[in-house]
Amino acid sequence: MNRRAKYSMVAALLVVVAMAFRVSWNALKDVAHAVGADGLAADLYPLVVDGLMALALIAALVLTGRDRRFALWVLGGYTLASLVLNYVHGLVPGLHTGDRVRLAVWPPAHYALVLLASCLPVGSIFFGSDLVAKVLHHKPEPVQTSQTTANRSGSDLPGSADQDGFESVYESADLVLVAEPIPVAAETVPVRPVRAVAAAGSRPRRATGAVPKSARTKVPARTEDELVEQARSAAARWSDEELTADRIRTTLRTSPARARMLRETLKAERAADGRHLTGPLAPSVLDQYQDARDGADSAVTTAITRFAVDYDAANPGEPSAMDQLRALPEPSRDQRDDRDAADSEEKAS
């Protein structure tokens, strides 16, 4: 359709709307008189109803989505209200005189019609303001032209993904080979070899599609013994409160079920080894300290104790080494008696 035909249709529509507005003018004006409006208010009343209909129609042409549906609801509601008032004007002859008369013989119907005619001006203020605000804040969607489609990368265009679902490999930039200049016979000019230059503005294409299983990095499977050994090494300095399945799972990158299994295994080992206490001292050092204490070897116990004190002073936020030494069981009565007897014999000799 050419531009002249479009303009002709718009002009014909304006003529039809103007005639329809004039036909509805008298009916709405007489209804306004019947509900108590004065002369000026009755003359302006048709503009309130039919004018908002025109505003809602323009808003419906501009807006999109939910806002467009709202504008259509307003247009339909005010069209129905204008139709009802025009219908009542045709049924009640007393309205043609412009006096205050009853809009219906049945009282509930009369009250409903008066409420409808009275609410339309207030509704025009509310709905008209809302429609204008929606139109002013509306941002039209950008029109996609052939130029913008050409400028988009292949991964952004529809259907650019590989049909077989495999991840596409990064493509290297196309090389533009620059020909070497032909030497001139009259003058010999030294020519440097020209390297291949990558095309300007080229960049690696973004990978699209799913990665096939054959191309995925394979994580070596670990046996339960290997997991237990790794968990035992990682949790050597953890306290019992810190020994949780979630921490084991994040540290060893294993499944929640295996993490719970490892937690129960380590807790069982700690329960079986009553001398275990989280700290910097290894179990072999604790055994050496306990044997030296039971055997009254003060040189070894003093050296280990001094190391524990120095470590705690240098690492105040870490698990305490002295707590490890204090947690060791005390020598039994027989061991103390044997130690005292050995001390007595050593002094006597």
Side-chain angles (χ1 to χ4, degrees), residues 6-348:
K6 293 180 180 179
Y7 289 158
S8 300
M9 291 188 63
V10 172
L13 175 62
L14 293 177
V15 172
V16 172
V17 170
M19 291 187 298
F21 185 78
R22 179 62 184 86
V23 172
S24 178
W25 182 281
N26 286 337
L28 297 179
K29 178 181 177 181
D30 293 341
V31 171
H33 277 297
V35 296
D38 56 9
L40 179 60
D43 293 337
L44 297 178
Y45 188 81
L47 294 174
V48 173
V49 180
D50 295 341
L52 184 64
M53 292 167 54
L55 178 63
L57 178 59
I58 296 174
L61 296 177
V62 175
L63 300 174
T64 58
R66 297 178 58 185
D67 295 339
R68 183 174 183 271
R69 290 194 294 270
F70 174 75
L72 292 176
W73 275 106
V74 174
L75 175 61
Y78 268 72
T79 301
L80 180 61
S82 179
L83 176 63
V84 171
L85 296 182
N86 278 272
Y87 177 72
V88 172
H89 182 265
L91 291 179
V92 181
L95 292 176
H96 303 170
T97 61
D99 297 332
R100 294 198 61 176
V101 296
R102 294 181 64 86
L103 300 180
V105 179
W106 188 41
H110 170 70
Y111 296 146
L113 292 172
V114 171
L115 178 62
L116 175 63
S118 304
C119 290
L120 289 180
V122 180
S124 297
I125 297 174
F126 175 77
F127 293 118
S129 303
D130 195 10
L131 289 175
V132 171
K134 291 181 184 297
V135 171
L136 293 179
H137 290 84
H138 175 68
K139 294 182 179 179
E141 298 180 356
V143 180
Q144 182 177 352
T145 61
S146 58
Q147 183 65 26
T148 57
T149 304
N151 293 335
R152 292 170 61 186
S153 63
S155 60
D156 295 332
L157 295 177
S160 64
D162 298 337
Q163 295 180 358
D164 54 358
F166 288 88
E167 181 179 6
S168 61
V169 182
Y170 287 113
E171 297 180 359
S172 60
D174 297 332
L175 300 180
V176 178
L177 299 179
V178 181
E180 297 183 359
I182 301 175
V184 183
E187 182 180 0
T188 303
V189 180
V191 180
R192 293 187 305 173
V194 181
R195 296 181 179 179
V197 181
S202 63
R203 59 181 180 179
R205 293 180 57 187
R206 185 175 58 187
T208 57
V211 181
K213 294 183 178 180
S214 59
R216 297 176 181 175
T217 304
K218 295 183 179 180
V219 180
R222 293 172 291 183
T223 63
E224 292 188 1
D225 295 337
E226 293 176 347
L227 284 174
V228 171
E229 186 64 27
Q230 294 177 4
R232 189 181 296 116
S233 176
R237 296 190 177 184
W238 295 357
S239 62
D240 293 339
E241 292 76 11
E242 295 172 342
L243 185 60
T244 59
D246 186 66
R247 187 170 183 180
I248 295 176
R249 179 183 60 82
T250 55
T251 303
L252 300 183
R253 298 183 181 276
T254 184
S255 63
R258 286 195 169 187
R260 291 191 294 268
M261 181 271 295
L262 294 173
R263 179 197 60 190
E264 298 302 329
T265 302
L266 294 181
K267 285 188 175 181
E269 291 180 355
R270 292 189 177 187
D273 185 7
R275 295 173 299 174
H276 177 83
L277 182 66
T278 301
L281 301 180
S284 59
V285 177
L286 298 178
D287 293 338
Q288 184 180 4
Y289 177 83
Q290 189 170 8
D291 293 341
R293 187 181 58 181
D294 296 342
D297 190 349
S298 59
V300 176
T301 57
T302 303
I304 296 177
T305 304
R306 183 176 300 172
F307 172 79
V309 171
D310 294 341
Y311 179 85
D312 293 342
N315 303 277
E318 299 294 331
S320 176
M322 287 300 299
D323 289 344
Q324 283 185 286
L325 300 180
R326 298 189 188 98
L328 295 175
E330 293 293 335
S332 62
R333 184 173 181 180
D334 295 337
Q335 290 175 342
R336 287 198 301 269
D337 293 341
D338 295 340
R339 185 182 58 188
D340 294 340
D343 291 342
S344 302
E345 290 179 1
E346 183 179 359
K347 290 179 181 181

